[in-house]
Structure formats: structure tokens, C-alpha cells
Amino acid sequence: MEIFRVNGGNRLEGSARVQGAKNSVLPIMAASLLARGTTVIHNCPRLSDVDAAIKILTHLGCGVAREGGSVIINSSSVTRHDIPHELMREMRSSVIFLGAVLARCGEAVMSMPGGCELGPRPVDLHLDAMRVLGAEITQDGGSISCRAARLKGRRVNLDFPSVGATENTMLCAVCCDGATVITNAAREPEIWDLQSYLARLGYQVHGAGTPAITVRGADVSGDTEHSVIPDRIAAATYLAAAACTGGDIELTGVTPGHLAAATDALSGMGCRVSGGHDSVRIDASGLRRAIRPIVTRPYPGFPTDAQPPIMAACLQAEGTTVFVENIFENRYRHTDEMKRLGADIRTEGRVAMVTGVKRLRGAPVVSTDLRGGASLVLAALMAEGVTEISGIRHIDRGYDDLAGALRSLGADISRTVTA
Ligand code: UD1
């Protein structure tokens, strides 16, 4: 078993380049099925979720190769429309392949994602949207079969601005007859990145970043290259790491506008944050104090994925910070582990109250999920002594060498194998 071993107390300093966005590259890899040609995706992070998406594309008949920071996908020939359970289970967000496989093949068979570490993972919004576009759906045990003799563009209203359901609807809609208008669409920057990839392929998609996205169905095939946007959650994690350690770091390769919710929170805490064109600097050398309530909401609200890292930054801030988690039911599992380090956190349902403590002390902790795991690494950076973090496979899903990046900023962290 691999673990992270952190010897806390080092102040982070220096500069680091932020990886490409996990939540952009995964839907774009699914969308590459609709290129019917070669797609080169640049700025592709090295993540186990990307490896899982590569396995799915390969199973479906695509040729896939990695070259440095790029992934090359040839989808000229897609020979299957099913995704076996073992592959679905490797990646929580594999349901993102549903719309693209259905659009490309006229049918799609895959297992239900089921629950995950953050709570139940319903896909009702995805399936309702596919139905509106003309798919017949049957569910048998844990498996979903979608079939469509003809997909037709229509108005699809999402009851909640789900990121994945918006993406799946966009991917299915590009192959429909006529136009689809998605209302109450998610507005996350990764939706805009998916639109921009589809537009490069020649599809007509407009409105990403607003609640109404229009997609015109078309026959498109060709080769294209696309560079994914910077990962705003990884960036928020490194900024929070600097805040935890009273550090002073600069992140390059970021889009500062996408980080506003996190940087506002960190400024409120007393950190000095300044942004360049594609960089952001944080100086957290002053006293850190509790901040106004952090309430997670769909973009442009405070991102649920940044809740655990920002919580880590509050563990030693003066006063009490209230968190309200509105997106996922089970997103405070890291709090019990933080308490092992000496954190003062009370949770009740969707609310967590974090009161800053003077000292945290190293202890063995378990990473329970991707962002919760990263937040434990951050807590360990400021704890006295050694913290060993197990369950780091969760962290590998979304961070491209988290330990290496933190080490380059001065952290004492290593990845080691234990019995
Ligand atoms: C995406 C992100 C994830 C992020 C989340 C919210 C990717 C690969 N993952 O996940 O990192 O935390 O957005 O910003 O982009 N829901 C339903 N029915 C559905 C679909 C969703 O009830 O059919 C609910 C979910 O249970 C959840 C909420 O809607 O409570 C938000 O989920 P959604 O926006 O779909 O998240 P994902 O696309 O899975």
C-alpha cells in the first residue's frame, strides 16, 4: 500500500504550474468519440481517472496513445457500444460516456454508477434528457440500455444544473436532427471548454457559461487539437496549502477569473491575493482569521470541490467558520480524520463549524475521497510532527503528482510503500 508521509511545519514558497483540468479532460475524451477522426488533447494531467477513460475508449475501439502531456485519440472506428461494469466502476464520472456513445452508435449499454464516497449518485437527469432527445431506455438490475432509431433536437430543461447531465445532453444533441436548447444548464468553466472543443470539431454549440445552451445537430468528422483549461480546483488546493502554512507562492498557468470564489475566501481570511494574466500569487504570512460562511453552490457559487481544502485552511484560523454543503450529501468525511490531528470541527447534516486551534499534531489518517484526501495532506502540512495518509488512490484520481508539486514548494512530503 502506498501512503503519503508528511513532516509538517514547512512554509510553502516559490512557484508552481497548475495541471490541466480533470473535469474538462474527461468529458472531452468522451466527446472525442464524436470526432470520427484524430483528436490531440494537450495539457492533459496524469491522473488515474484519465487512465480509466483511456481504457474505456480503447474498449470501444478507439486507438489511444499518450505523448508527454498530450493524449491522442483516434475515433475513426468505434466497434462497441457497451462499457463493462469493471471499467465503469473505475471512474465515478464514467456516465459521461453515455451521451457520446448513444450519439455515435445509436445505442449504449453501461452499468449504473451506483453510490460513491460522496453519497448517492443518481443519473435521473441524464436519462430524462436522453429520453427527451428520443432515446428508449431500459434499466435491468444495475444496467442501463439506451437505444434510439432517430435522435431529435428538442428543449431539455434540467431540474438542477448538473454538470454531467449538461455535458451528456450536449454530446447527445450534436448528433440529433435539428436544434436542442438546454435550459437551467450548468455554467461551470469546464462546460465552456467542452463547447470550445466541439466548436473546433465543427459542431455548432453556443451559450456555454449561461443557463441556456443551444446545440445544432450536424454530421462532422475530422482531426483536431485542443488544450484543456487549467484546473481551478487543483489551483484552489495549492492556494489553500499556502494559506495553511503561512506561505507565499505563485501559481502559473491558471485562469484567475475561475478562482474568484476560492480567492475571495482566502482574502477574507487575511491572505493577500493578487492575480496576473495567467497567474495568481498568495501571501499568507499574516494572521489568519475565520471567514464568512462558505456555502457551496453551482458555479459561479463556491465550488463543492474546494470546500475540503478551504476547510483545511480554516483549521488554525482565529475564530469559527461555518460551512454549508449544498451539492453532495456526504461530503464531510474528511472532518473525522482532521479531528484526529486535533481539529475542532462540529458537523450536523449539511453544516460544519470549524473553530481554529493553536496546534495540530501529526497522526495516521485515511483519505476518504479525492478532495477530502487532499485536504488531509494540507492539514498535515501544518501539523507538528509526522502524519501518514493512506487511501491515496483517491488523491491520484484528480491530482497530477500532488506530493511532487508540494515538495517543489518546500513541503516535506514523500510517497512511500508500506506493508
Ligand atoms: C461534476 C464534477 C465534480 C463536482 C460536481 C459538482 C466532473 C467529472 N465532476 O460532477 O468534481 O463535484 O460536478 O460541481 O466534472 N444529480 C442528480 N441527478 C442527476 C445528476 C446529478 O440528482 O442525474 C445531483 C447529484 O447527486 C449532486 C448534484 O446533482 O447532488 C450535482 O451533481 P453534478 O453537477 O451532476 O455533478 P457531476 O457531474 O457528477
Side-chain angles (χ1 to χ4, degrees):
M1 178 179 74
E2 283 190 297
I3 60 164
F4 285 145
R5 195 164 193 280
V6 180
N7 196 2
N10 289 9
R11 179 171 185 262
L12 297 193
E13 281 179 321
S15 171
R17 191 171 174 81
V18 171
Q19 68 185 58
K22 168 179 94 70
N23 290 352
S24 269
V25 78
L26 298 176
I28 289 171
M29 289 176 82
S32 73
L33 287 169
L34 306 173
R36 297 178 171 83
T38 300
T39 289
V40 184
I41 305 175
H42 300 294
N43 202 26
C44 179
R46 285 207 165 260
L47 309 173
S48 58
D49 267 9
V50 168
D51 295 337
I54 290 175
K55 282 190 203 161
I56 291 175
L57 287 167
T58 307
H59 170 83
L60 294 171
C62 299
V64 189
R66 267 191 192 267
E67 262 179 33
S70 304
V71 159
I72 303 156
I73 302 160
N74 185 330
S75 65
S76 311
S77 150
V78 169
T79 50
R80 306 183 69 116
H81 62 265
D82 67 303
I83 304 180
H85 181 64
E86 314 85 77
L87 294 182
M88 285 296 287
R89 155 179 97 188
E90 274 192 39
M91 182 172 64
R92 176 163 67 78
S93 38
S94 46
V95 69
I96 193 58
F97 279 87
L98 181 70
V101 174
L102 177 63
R104 174 75 195 257
C105 306
E107 50 190 327
V109 179
M110 54 187 65
S111 61
M112 294 281 279
C116 80
E117 58 272 14
L118 304 181
R121 302 293 294 187
V123 290
D124 53 318
L125 301 174
H126 302 245
L127 300 185
D128 287 350
M130 301 298 120
R131 273 193 200 97
V132 172
L133 297 179
E136 269 179 43
I137 300 177
T138 47
Q139 286 174 262
D140 178 17
S143 132
I144 316 168
S145 296
C146 295
R147 198 168 264 112
R150 180 167 168 245
L151 290 162
K152 191 162 171 10
R154 289 188 200 280
R155 179 166 180 271
V156 174
N157 183 58
L158 298 175
D159 286 344
F160 179 87
S162 152
V163 174
T166 301
E167 292 165 344
N168 251 332
T169 311
M170 289 165 74
L171 296 183
C172 190
V174 294
C175 293
C176 287
D177 287 342
T180 296
V181 180
I182 309 168
T183 54
N184 200 26
R187 290 187 279 160
E188 271 69 2
E190 294 76 22
I191 305 280
W192 176 87
D193 205 21
L194 179 61
Q195 169 179 285
S196 93
Y197 167 71
L198 292 169
R200 268 176 215 279
L201 279 179
Y203 289 110
Q204 302 266 316
V205 188
H206 303 281
T210 77
I213 299 175
T214 305
V215 181
R216 262 169 232 292
D219 270 334
V220 161
S221 61
D223 300 338
T224 193
E225 297 195 28
H226 182 83
S227 191
V228 299
I229 59 171
D231 195 311
R232 62 197 167 94
I233 306 301
T237 304
Y238 293 117
L239 293 174
C244 287
T245 63
D248 183 351
I249 67 165
E250 183 189 47
L251 298 178
T252 58
V254 297
T255 306
H258 294 170
L259 298 172
T263 52
D264 283 356
L266 292 164
S267 302
M269 200 175 277
C271 304
R272 284 188 293 278
V273 184
S274 51
H277 163 62
D278 65 352
S279 64
V280 61
R281 180 175 166 198
I282 179 168
D283 174 358
S285 50
L287 181 75
R288 293 188 302 285
R289 52 181 181 271
I291 36 178
R292 58 171 171 67
I294 295 287
V295 181
T296 65
R297 297 189 201 284
Y299 193 85
F302 191 91
T304 175
D305 290 348
Q307 175 257 105
I310 294 294
M311 184 181 288
C314 293
L315 296 179
Q316 288 194 318
E318 201 176 87
T320 299
T321 303
V322 175
F323 288 80
V324 182
E325 172 57 54
N326 284 317
I327 308 294
F328 290 107
E329 270 178 34
N330 197 10
R331 200 150 206 183
Y332 287 138
R333 290 175 70 201
H334 51 280
T335 58
D336 282 341
E337 301 300 310
M338 286 173 165
K339 285 193 231 171
R340 287 175 190 273
L341 302 176
D344 179 351
I345 308 174
R346 276 162 294 154
T347 53
E348 205 179 310
R350 293 185 174 277
V351 177
M353 292 207 293
V354 179
T355 302
V357 294
K358 290 259 178 299
R359 301 171 79 181
L360 295 169
R361 286 206 180 82
V365 290
V366 182
S367 164
T368 50
D369 60 88
L370 166 57
R371 307 299 171 186
S375 73
L376 294 174
V377 174
L378 269 47
L381 293 177
M382 58 185 155
E384 289 170 17
V386 172
T387 300
E388 290 189 341
I389 300 141
S390 55
I392 62 175
R393 67 181 187 286
H394 293 293
I395 299 175
D396 292 337
R397 284 187 37 229
Y399 292 91
D400 186 338
D401 192 12
L402 179 68
L406 291 172
R407 213 167 29 243
S408 76
L409 294 168
D412 182 351
I413 174 169
S414 56
R415 186 180 181 115
T416 52
V417 180
T418 59

